[in-house]
Amino acid sequence: MSIGHRLNRTLEVWRPQTDPDGYGGQTVTYVRQPVDVRAKVDQPGTSDRMLAQQAGSEHTHTVYLLPGADVARGDELRGRGQVLRVLAVAEPSATRYRRAECHLVQPEGVIRWPT
């Protein structure tokens, strides 16, 4: 049984890429991946938030994806003016979906997002 009918959003996948900065360090830029993913974005329940806080994480949103979605820890999922940084990705024992625990990145100031 697929969850495809419940995935009501399309999100862009942005993956971090590190490059030398010329001074012995690195700069990180996010590069858009060629394939967008279908997703359902929810706020986690109270117990999920408590577990995340105990582990020192800021889990603010849960994103459900198709099992084959190319999403990894550290990626950013972008859509509808939101940026969700992926903290962890897990699959249940019966692979019907992937679940990404994410943190909503809230910009400072006023930012105009393209539509």
Side-chain angles (χ1 to χ4, degrees):
M1 179 170 188
S2 174
I3 66 159
H5 65 284
R6 296 185 185 270
L7 305 179
N8 57 5
R9 291 175 67 173
T10 300
L11 299 173
E12 300 170 351
V13 179
W14 292 73
R15 187 150 292 151
Q17 175 180 315
T18 56
D19 295 306
D21 65 4
Y23 300 100
Q26 295 179 332
T27 59
V28 178
T29 56
Y30 283 84
V31 178
R32 184 171 179 189
Q33 300 303 293
V35 179
D36 295 343
V37 294
R38 291 177 50 208
K40 180 176 188 302
V41 179
D42 286 338
Q43 290 185 344
T46 306
S47 60
D48 285 339
R49 282 188 169 191
M50 281 182 47
L51 286 172
Q53 287 174 350
Q54 289 173 352
S57 177
E58 295 184 37
H59 176 197
T60 62
H61 288 74
T62 301
V63 178
Y64 295 93
L65 307 154
L66 290 173
D70 183 18
V71 173
R73 181 175 185 261
D75 287 353
E76 287 185 350
L77 302 174
R78 300 180 186 181
R80 293 188 186 174
Q82 291 182 318
V83 176
L84 299 160
R85 184 151 305 129
V86 179
L87 303 172
V89 178
E91 293 179 1
S93 57
T95 309
R96 294 189 176 124
Y97 63 90
R98 296 186 86 192
R99 174 184 157 140
E101 295 180 1
C102 299
H103 171 74
L104 177 64
V105 179
Q106 296 182 339
E108 293 182 25
V110 177
I111 293 182
R112 304 271 187 241
W113 295 96
T115 55

